[in-house]
Amino acid sequence: MSNINISCIAIIGKQNNPLFIKNFNPSHPDLKYHYIAHTSCDVMEERAAMKAQDMYLGVLFSMEDLSVYGYMTNTKIKFITVLTVPDVIIKDLDMKNVFRRIHAAYVNHASNPFYDIDSQKMIKSKKFEQEIEAIGKGRALEGGNRNSLLPAQAS
């Protein structure tokens, strides 16, 4: 996963409302990623109708120096990852692992009894933000989190 350069991770709700958008690339404004997240919703719903079993939707589209990947849960929550296009090929297995980690972080957050799953409000949780930050920067989750699918890397 070391060759993946994540620029943004976005989580979009059932009604196509943004639940969480994290920008990891200071050279692009946050508004650009809001636009990318919303334009990818239609593509994701179209692809999900064709792929009944697999939640990983692959590359949705590319623009400028960015590639947009998508993943949709069975409850219609959409995870979008925007990558800066590198000179190396990104394997689907690597991207599936990234999305599994994002999904595990979301499930951990949604399992909180005080979180309203049908809420249209943005997610504001320090723990969730730390988990997404670790995923976006390619680090293993600290504290032995059971939902981390990647082994801890030796320093």
Side-chain angles (χ1 to χ4, degrees), residues 107-144:
V107 168
N108 263 353
H109 179 72
S111 296
N112 180 344
F114 299 107
Y115 177 69
D116 179 12
I117 292 177
D118 294 324
S119 174
Q120 293 193 7
K121 295 179 183 174
M122 295 286 280
I123 295 173
K124 298 202 184 306
S125 164
K126 288 183 182 180
K127 184 178 182 213
F128 182 75
E129 282 187 38
Q130 289 171 346
E131 290 181 17
I132 295 297
E133 185 88 22
I135 295 165
K137 298 209 173 165
R139 299 188 311 257
L141 297 174
E142 284 113 27

Side-chain angles (χ1 to χ4, degrees), residues 69-131:
Y69 288 79
Y71 179 98
M72 186 184 303
T73 68
N74 56 357
T75 57
K76 305 293 185 215
I77 302 294
K78 300 164 195 75
F79 302 136
I80 299 161
T81 302
V82 182
L83 306 179
T84 303
V85 179
D87 292 334
V88 294
I89 295 172
I90 307 273
K91 296 178 186 168
D92 275 348
L93 182 63
D94 290 338
M95 287 308 300
K96 284 181 182 181
N97 283 334
V98 168
F99 281 117
R100 282 189 192 112
R101 289 181 69 195
I102 295 169
H103 194 175
Y106 178 76
V107 168
N108 263 353
H109 179 72
S111 296
N112 180 344
F114 299 107
Y115 177 69
D116 179 12
I117 292 177
D118 294 324
S119 174
Q120 293 193 7
K121 295 179 183 174
M122 295 286 280
I123 295 173
K124 298 202 184 306
S125 164
K126 288 183 182 180
K127 184 178 182 213
F128 182 75
E129 282 187 38
Q130 289 171 346
E131 290 181 17

